[in-house]
């Protein structure tokens, strides 16, 4: 388990943007002081909720799980952010992730704030029934602090539409009870509106077309916009760390866009396939075996002769054009940043690069497209799902993807322009954009 505290990393990222914002020469001393007060408020979550969830296990024993929901900031709209299931979840991690959500929603210019949830659990150790009881328990535990206009959770690492379905079901039960208290029953329309409390739902539960692949597709749109600015063209290669929802989809979209993905990994290790991996076949092979090792699938076949095994560490140092950390925090650190050979880093995970590594990469001239920009496609389509539920609409995939493309292009442009104007790296630029928008909304 990494010892680098992600919340401290997040605060150190904010610091650079804070200095640029407060030291603006056009501001009077009084204005600077007022801004500083607001920024100081932005350094603390507005609400931290700790829940305990007792679950009866399949063998009849009871296990008590710890969970969190952190509501970081709602200046721009309801708290928004996913729920993570992982054995290394900690309060500081959830605090960092919720802060990044506030920044991310502002970069994408969504009318939403930032929140995040997490449960300390290794979901792979649970049966489906145990997972359902845990998820329902968490949904019930946070029901009083969420809602369409207060806090809108979604999937994150190890959670998905099925889990959102269980949670929304528990949430609706509490809402029906409340309505009954006032002698009312909820109509179908009321229920659909209330379902907007969770996004990333299955389509049958009111989910949006395109949500599942939105983070990956948004990442491709952002990458293409930034590659244009960097004038990086030609036959490009990529290595992707992570093969969950985000990892798989970015591999798929890179491949479809003509970028050769030569390596990919999961938590157990990775594969290196110089001819370029076939995403669908690789996923199928991983599902069958339970791991990626040996899944050297390229073209139309999987063949042991087509590739070799790589460790997660070695994957980061491969000679590729684009490195995509799409797993967890602290993948790129001061230990390995100097050894990275990629020309550009596309952060699809949240917080994969430490502040020390950022400095090293900047000095090396390797642009890092920051998480709060590059993985904002997921929450952007979440915002579309929320809007569709509230308006009682269902948009087509083509409509969703068109809107996503516009949002991503605008966000990438704003970040690029800020980096030029302030002669700074893309992460600081993204924070400057986000900070400016949040400060404007703060009372
Ligand atoms: N968990 C995703 C993220 O980190 C999506 C959050 C959402 O859709 O609210 O951006």
């Amino acid at each position: 388990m990494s010892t680098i505290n992600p919340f401290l990393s997040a605060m150190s990222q904010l610091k650079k943007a804070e200095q640029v914002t407060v030291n603006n020469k056009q501001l009077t001393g009084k204005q600077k002081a007022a801004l500083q007060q607001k920024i100081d408020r932005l350094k603390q979550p507005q609400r931290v909720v700790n829940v305990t969830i007792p679950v009866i296990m399949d063998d009849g024993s009871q296990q008590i799980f710890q969970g969190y929901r952190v509501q970081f900031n709602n200046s721009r709209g309801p708290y928004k952010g996913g729920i993570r299931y992982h054995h290394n979840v900690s309060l500081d991690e959830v605090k960092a992730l919720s802060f990044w959500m506030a920044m991310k929603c502002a970069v994408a210019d969504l009318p939403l704030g930032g929140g995040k949830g997490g449960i300390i659990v290794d979901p792979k150790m649970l049966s489906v029934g145990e997972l359902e009881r845990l998820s329902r328990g968490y949904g019930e535990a946070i029901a009083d602090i969420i809602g369409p206009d207060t806090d809108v959770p979604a999937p994150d690492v190890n959670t998905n539409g099925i889990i959102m379905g269980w949670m929304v079901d528990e949430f609706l039960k509490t809402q029906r009870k409340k309505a009954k208290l006032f002698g009312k029953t909820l109509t179908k329309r009321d229920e659909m509106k209330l379902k907007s409390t969770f996004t990333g739902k299955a389509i049958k539960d009111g989910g949006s077309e395109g949500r599942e692949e939105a983070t990956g597709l948004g990442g491709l749109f952002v990458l293409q916009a930034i590659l244009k600015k960097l004038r990086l063209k030609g036959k490009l290669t990529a290595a992707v760390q992570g093969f969950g929802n985000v990892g798989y989809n970015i591999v798929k979209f890179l491949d479809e866009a003509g970028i050769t993905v030569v390596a990919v990994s999961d938590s157990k290790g990775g594969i290196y396939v110089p001819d370029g991996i076939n995403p669908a076949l690789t996923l199928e092979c991983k599902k069958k075996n339970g791991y990626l090792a040996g899944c050297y699938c390229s073209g139309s076949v999987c063949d042991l002769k087509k590739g070799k095994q790589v460790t997660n560490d070695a994957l980061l140092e491969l000679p590729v054009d684009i490195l995509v950390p799409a797993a967890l925090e602290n993948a790129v650190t001061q230990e390995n940043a100097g050894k990275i050979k990629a020309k550009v880093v596309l952060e699809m995970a949240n917080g994969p690069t430490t502040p020390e590594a950022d400095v090293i990469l900047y000095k090396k001239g390797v642009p890092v497209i920051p998480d709060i920009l590059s993985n904002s496609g997921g929450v952007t389509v979440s915002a579309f799902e929320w809007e569709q539920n509230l308006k009682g609409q269902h948009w087509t995939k083509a409509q969703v993807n068109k809107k996503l493309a516009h949002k991503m292009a605008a966000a990438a442009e704003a970040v690029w322009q800020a980096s030029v104007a302030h002669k700074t790296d893309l992460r600081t630029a993204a924070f400057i954009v986000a900070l400016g928008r949040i400060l404007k909304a703060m009372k």
Side-chain angles (χ1 to χ4, degrees):
M1 185 180 168
S2 170
T3 51
I4 302 164
N5 181 327
F7 190 63
L8 295 181
S9 296
M11 288 300 109
S12 130
Q13 293 169 343
L14 174 65
K15 188 111 214 117
K16 285 203 211 159
E18 174 180 359
Q19 278 159 358
V20 174
T21 306
V22 177
N23 293 335
N24 180 346
K25 289 195 186 71
Q26 277 153 14
L27 297 176
T28 64
K30 217 172 156 187
Q31 285 170 322
K32 284 183 186 179
L35 271 187
Q36 190 62 58
Q37 281 185 348
K38 286 186 183 177
I39 296 175
D40 287 344
R41 290 200 324 252
L42 242 188
K43 291 177 185 168
Q44 299 289 336
Q46 290 173 324
R47 177 150 61 174
V48 173
V49 176
N50 197 327
V51 295
T52 50
I53 313 138
V55 175
I56 300 297
M57 307 305 277
D58 290 349
D59 66 2
S61 68
Q62 174 179 265
Q63 217 169 307
I64 299 178
F65 294 89
Q66 295 294 325
Y68 307 101
R69 183 75 189 167
V70 175
Q71 298 180 328
F72 207 94
N73 191 278
N74 64 354
S75 301
R76 288 177 51 87
Y79 305 103
K80 182 85 194 80
I83 298 162
R84 172 173 298 200
Y85 286 4
H86 199 273
H87 53 280
N88 285 341
V89 159
S90 69
L91 181 55
D92 272 329
E93 184 193 40
V94 183
K95 270 167 68 178
L97 292 164
S98 63
F99 167 75
W100 284 323
M101 283 310 304
M103 294 289 145
K104 192 185 300 185
C105 290
V107 168
D109 205 8
L110 306 172
L112 295 163
K116 199 87 175 195
I119 302 180
I120 307 171
V121 59
D122 179 357
K124 292 182 193 93
M125 306 300 284
L126 303 185
S127 69
V128 176
E130 290 165 346
L131 192 67
E132 175 170 352
R133 294 194 286 281
L134 175 67
S135 304
R136 287 186 179 276
Y138 182 82
E140 193 190 343
I142 63 164
D144 280 347
I145 57 153
I146 60 174
D149 54 355
T150 46
D151 185 352
V152 182
D156 194 70
V157 173
N158 288 331
T159 54
N160 55 27
I162 298 171
I163 293 177
M164 294 306 111
W166 292 327
M167 289 187 183
V168 85
D169 194 38
E170 287 307 308
F171 176 70
L172 284 178
K173 279 185 203 164
T174 65
Q175 298 306 302
R176 285 184 203 119
K177 253 194 223 161
K178 272 191 192 154
K180 216 169 159 189
L181 195 68
F182 300 104
K184 294 193 180 113
T185 38
L186 297 176
T187 63
K188 258 192 136 176
R189 183 74 200 90
D190 293 335
E191 296 218 348
M192 183 48 85
K193 274 194 182 175
L194 286 168
K195 278 187 178 179
S196 71
T197 302
F198 285 85
T199 61
K201 303 180 293 289
I203 308 268
K204 69 165 178 47
D205 295 327
S208 176
E209 303 292 339
R211 173 61 187 88
E212 206 167 314
E213 59 265 43
T215 313
L217 185 57
L220 176 72
F221 290 149
V222 169
L223 176 71
Q224 286 173 327
I226 301 294
L227 288 181
K228 229 184 211 170
K229 301 283 187 190
L230 296 171
R231 298 202 170 85
L232 212 62
K233 295 196 280 225
K235 195 91 198 84
L236 300 173
T237 57
V240 178
Q241 185 194 51
F243 207 53
N245 172 295
V246 176
Y248 170 71
N249 278 297
I250 191 71
V251 169
K252 189 183 102 187
F253 287 116
L254 289 174
D255 179 65
E256 283 174 14
I259 296 173
T260 312
V261 182
V262 295
V264 65
S265 66
D266 61 17
S267 59
K268 295 188 198 81
I271 54 169
Y272 177 56
V273 182
D275 290 348
I277 77 157
N278 176 320
L281 283 183
T282 306
L283 181 67
E284 205 179 293
C285 172
K286 183 196 148 110
K287 275 191 183 153
K288 210 164 73 197
N289 298 354
Y291 42 80
L292 275 169
C295 292
Y296 309 140
C297 309
S298 185
S300 56
V301 285
C302 301
D303 182 342
L304 282 177
K305 288 196 284 289
K306 279 182 177 264
K308 59 176 192 191
Q309 232 169 305
V310 280
T311 62
N312 259 298
D313 288 343
L315 178 139
L316 298 172
E317 298 165 19
L318 285 172
V320 291
D321 298 303
I322 306 156
L323 176 64
V324 187
L328 294 169
E329 301 90 82
N330 304 331
V332 183
T333 65
Q334 58 184 349
E335 314 299 330
N336 58 13
K339 295 181 224 153
I340 282 175
K341 297 179 191 71
K343 298 192 184 91
V344 52
V345 176
L346 177 73
E347 291 188 330
M348 293 305 293
N350 289 309
T353 311
T354 66
E356 295 79 12
D358 258 340
V359 175
I360 298 170
L361 290 169
Y362 190 64
K363 282 194 188 141
K364 268 169 68 114
V366 179
V368 177
I369 312 176
D371 47 6
I372 58 170
L373 170 65
S374 41
N375 73 26
S376 64
V379 72
T380 297
V381 177
S382 271
F384 297 162
E385 180 176 335
W386 176 66
E387 190 182 335
Q388 289 171 77
N389 291 164
L390 287 173
K391 292 181 176 164
Q393 298 176 347
H394 189 81
W395 305 344
T396 65
K397 198 167 189 163
Q399 283 174 307
V400 168
N401 288 350
K402 198 170 160 202
K403 283 172 187 278
L404 175 66
H406 278 138
K407 276 285 192 196
M408 295 297 98
E413 185 64 27
V415 171
W416 183 265
Q417 292 309 336
S419 83
V420 172
H422 297 281
K423 297 188 179 59
T424 191
D425 59 285
L426 293 172
R427 188 184 317 282
T428 306
F431 270 81
I432 291 171
V433 170
L435 195 55
R437 290 176 179 166
I438 295 175
L439 290 173
K440 214 165 140 192
M442 273 174 100
K443 282 191 253 51

